[in-house]
């Protein structure tokens, strides 16, 4: 895929913005779906007359499907072309959403959520690949800012939207909402996205797939169980799958280092920029998703707010990120990612220090202002890190690199949630 404006053009021309709109629509569906459903868990428990442990599989099944299919994304994009795979992912996600909204039992709902996850897992890595290839390395900062908005706004807007739909409309609409968005995305994608040339000679790394996909699913499942109040780190249901998953991932690394055209190209980590950005992303995502667990608990358990009110109180953070991201993308393309990412980390740390002084009667105005500033710090951090990871790579490596970054994000998010859950459990 080539840039409409030419590789040397520094501005995001109309064609790039049109491609970006298609990718953002897909990203919005994937990111919102995760957080919207979380708000509805208690309601679904009553709706289907089942236990909380069973209904949690509505969220867990989706996450595991995501982890299973993400490793395939890079190979599929190279083998069949990014446009075909992206439209297929949108279609699977939309069909899964429509089916989930029509579910007649908890078993059918869980099954349809897995179908959703198979499509949703490919949306972010393929979308990142499409945008990065279209814009070229000199504009990667700005296009990453475009796709970064739904990634940071999802955890903020999702609880608000989910709370409203569950309370005032119907739980089914948390799934049906994806259908019209999916139809629009399919129509726009078929018209706007350009078909790139596949590389049909490359064979699928079957052994790598057998090791990595189940390994990631088991690792993330175990980490989710560690974060669960019913299980915890000492439960065999937590440490056994987490341990087995870690072993399978380690075996994949051993295999990939000795295999040409492995499912994930670990040679990418020979690029210093990609390696440093990946490590930094792990630290950032662990902290970010850990904080996203902590703040709703504070508003609901300490301040007695409902799910919808907690989501609204978190909105300043998303607004701060949304304001800062376009500015950060422009700065990245002009002066590089390192400086602005470092400044963003300093801002986030300063805000976290202030949050250590929270009390049961701290002013909501003060909390909102601090969240807004922290959102600005996040807007200065996440997308510049991803830009730095992709900026120095060859175009043919972008699909595999995007897949690697999304795997890193998924695992780091699970680690962050599990780590903070353990700390909270030990502190109470």
């Amino acid at each position: 895929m080539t840039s409409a404006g030419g590789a040397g053009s520094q501005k995001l021309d109309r064609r790039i913005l049109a491609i970006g709109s298609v990718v953002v629509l897909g990203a919005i569906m994937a990111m919102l779906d995760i957080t919207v459903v979380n708000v509805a868990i208690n309601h679904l428990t009553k709706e289907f007359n089942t236990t909380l442990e069973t209904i949690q599989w509505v969220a867990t099944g989706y996450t595991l499907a995501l982890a299973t299919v993400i490793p395939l994304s890079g190979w599929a994009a190279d083998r069949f072309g990014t446009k075909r795979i992206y439209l297929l992912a949108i279609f699977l996600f939309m069909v899964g959403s429509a089916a989930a909204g029509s579910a007649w039992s908890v078993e059918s709902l869980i099954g349809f959520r897995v179908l959703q996850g198979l499509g949703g897992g490919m949306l972010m890595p393929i979308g990142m690949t499409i945008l990065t290839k279209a814009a070229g390395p000199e504009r990667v900062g700005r296009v990453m800012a475009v796709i970064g908005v739904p990634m940071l706004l999802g955890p903020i807007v999702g609880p608000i939207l989910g709370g409203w739909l569950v309370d005032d409309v119907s739980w089914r609409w948390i799934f049906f909402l994806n259908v019209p968005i999916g139809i629009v995305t399919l129509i726009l994608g078929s018209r706007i996205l350009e078909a790139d040339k596949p590389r049909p000679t490359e064979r699928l790394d079957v052994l790598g797939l057998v090791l990595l996909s189940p390994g990631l699913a088991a690792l993330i499942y175990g980490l989710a169980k560690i974060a669960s109040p019913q299980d915890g780190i000492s439960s065999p249901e937590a440490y056994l799958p987490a341990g087995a998953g870690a072993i399978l991932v380690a075996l994949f690394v051993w295999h990939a280092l000795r295999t040409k055209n492995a499912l994930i190209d670990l040679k990418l980590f020979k690029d210093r920029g990609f390696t440093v950005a990946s490590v930094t992303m792990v630290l950032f995502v662990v902290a970010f998703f850990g904080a996203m667990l902590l703040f709703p608990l504070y508003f609901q358990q300490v301040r007695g707010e409902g799910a919808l009110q907690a989501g609204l109180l978190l909105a300043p953070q998303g607004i701060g990120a949304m304001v800062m991201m376009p500015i950060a993308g422009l700065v990245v393309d002009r002066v590089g990612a390192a400086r602005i990412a470092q400044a963003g980390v300093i801002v986030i740390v300063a805000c976290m220090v202030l949050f250590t002084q929270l009390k049961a009667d701290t002013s909501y105005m003060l909390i909102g202002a601090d969240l807004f500033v922290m959102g600005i710090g996040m807007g200065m951090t996440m997308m510049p890190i991803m830009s730095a990871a992709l900026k120095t790579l060859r175009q043919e490596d972008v699909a595999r690199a995007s897949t690697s970054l999304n795997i890193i994000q998924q695992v780091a998010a699970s680690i962050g949630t599990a780590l903070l859950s353990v700390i909270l459990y030990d502190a109470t």
Side-chain angles (χ1 to χ4, degrees), residues 131-153:
L131 262 181
T132 306
K133 285 184 175 180
E138 69 280 354
R139 297 182 290 186
V140 72
R142 272 164 284 181
V143 298
M144 284 297 103
V146 170
I147 201 172
V149 172
M151 290 178 69
L152 286 181
L153 283 184

Side-chain angles (χ1 to χ4, degrees), residues 6 35 41 49 59-60 77 80 105 120 131 173 175 202 219 224 253 264 319 349 358 361 374 392 426:
T35 51
I41 290 296
N49 192 27
T60 304
F80 300 105
S105 66
L131 262 181
W173 274 96
F175 302 112
E202 191 169 311
L219 178 60
V253 171
I264 300 296
I319 295 170
V349 170
L358 279 184
D361 58 351
M374 190 164 75
T392 59
D426 290 340

Side-chain angles (χ1 to χ4, degrees), residues 4-74:
S9 174
Q10 289 297 311
K11 293 184 178 180
L12 293 184
D13 53 58
R14 190 174 300 176
R15 185 66 176 171
I16 299 298
L17 292 174
I19 293 171
S21 67
V22 175
V23 173
V24 166
L25 282 173
I28 285 173
M29 286 198 303
M31 294 307 298
L32 280 182
D33 194 78
I34 297 172
T35 51
V36 165
V37 171
N38 289 341
V39 176
I41 290 296
N42 286 333
H43 183 87
L44 292 173
T45 304
K46 299 173 185 176
E47 179 74 22
F48 290 106
N49 192 27
T50 187
T51 63
L52 182 61
E53 186 176 2
T54 300
I55 207 67
Q56 283 287 357
W57 277 96
V58 172
T60 304
Y62 179 87
T63 304
L64 297 187
L66 228 67
T68 302
V69 78
I70 284 175
L72 272 174
S73 301

